Amino acid sequence: MEEPRPERFTADEFIAWALEQPSGRYELHHGRIFAMAPERVNHARAKAQIWLALRAALAARGLPCEAMPDGVTVRIDADTVYEPDALVRCGPPAPGDATEIDDPVILVEVVSPSSRGVDTGLKLARYFSLPSARHYLIVDTEGRGVTHHRREEDGTITARILRDGEIALDPPGVRVRVADIFAGL
């Protein structure tokens, strides 16, 4: 018989619980677990493309940063844990057995019909509550555009919608071509 799970989780309880699950992807919003829906092929392709583009840009510049695909978590606070579609962190490499990244510089979400409202609203505010967060990219495969939210030096958040050209991500000091994100879609 399966143990009943609590109605609300802390971030620590959620991560321990999620590591025990045989399959599926989950996030924790204000103490409540949300299962993430299966992904469409273009969603998965866009996630892979942005991760590859970020990884290549970092490698080309030889920066002490790493791009990570989805799978690792980002703790927002004591009862909220997200799993971005890609992220970049800088500094010494994260330990290989780590399950969370606490200092992302760039966070990426590829919107889907079921996640659009959360990705463009709640996560925007919550990701920028992290002191390390400087860029939040929202990739829209249907509209073939990227909304780039950037925290300026004075703390102001600015936004640009790009359908072509390059996305300047400084820090860490790289550029990613919008066309590379949508290649093959």
Side-chain angles (χ1 to χ4, degrees):
M1 182 172 194
E2 186 177 324
E3 288 275 327
R5 70 177 197 223
E7 191 166 314
R8 296 183 67 81
F9 278 73
T10 66
D12 288 334
E13 291 167 339
F14 166 75
I15 290 169
W17 174 85
L19 287 171
E20 297 296 319
Q21 301 312 299
S23 65
R25 295 175 50 228
Y26 306 90
E27 290 186 325
L28 185 69
H29 297 272
H30 301 293
R32 299 199 182 279
I33 294 175
F34 289 86
M36 295 164 70
E39 297 174 344
R40 290 175 170 80
V41 170
N42 273 352
H43 187 98
R45 286 178 179 146
K47 287 180 5 178
Q49 288 301 116
I50 187 68
W51 172 69
L52 288 169
L54 289 166
R55 186 173 156 215
L58 293 167
R61 295 281 322 274
L63 295 172
C65 302
E66 58 187 318
M68 295 185 183
D70 69 337
V72 296
T73 61
V74 174
R75 183 185 307 235
I76 302 300
D77 58 30
D79 66 356
T80 303
V81 178
Y82 295 144
E83 185 181 311
D85 289 328
L87 65 81
V88 170
R89 67 167 302 278
C90 297
D97 63 345
T99 59
E100 54 182 295
I101 297 299
D102 61 5
D103 58 353
V105 176
I106 301 168
L107 296 132
V108 180
E109 293 288 355
V110 177
V111 296
S112 64
S114 64
S115 73
R116 183 174 302 277
V118 171
D119 291 344
T120 60
L122 180 66
K123 284 187 179 181
L124 169 63
R126 301 304 301 262
Y127 278 144
F128 278 114
S129 72
L130 300 171
S132 63
R134 294 297 301 271
H135 307 276
Y136 177 39
L137 304 178
I138 301 172
V139 178
D140 180 358
T141 59
E142 290 178 13
R144 296 186 68 82
V146 178
T147 304
H148 175 201
H149 298 276
R150 173 189 167 89
R151 184 190 338 245
E152 303 294 341
E153 291 296 325
D154 66 0
T156 302
I157 307 297
T158 59
R160 293 179 53 210
I161 299 171
L162 298 107
R163 295 203 183 330
D164 57 24
E166 291 183 326
I167 305 167
L169 301 163
D170 188 26
V174 296
R175 293 180 173 276
V176 173
R177 290 175 2 126
V178 173
D180 292 342
I181 297 168
F182 295 106
L185 298 184

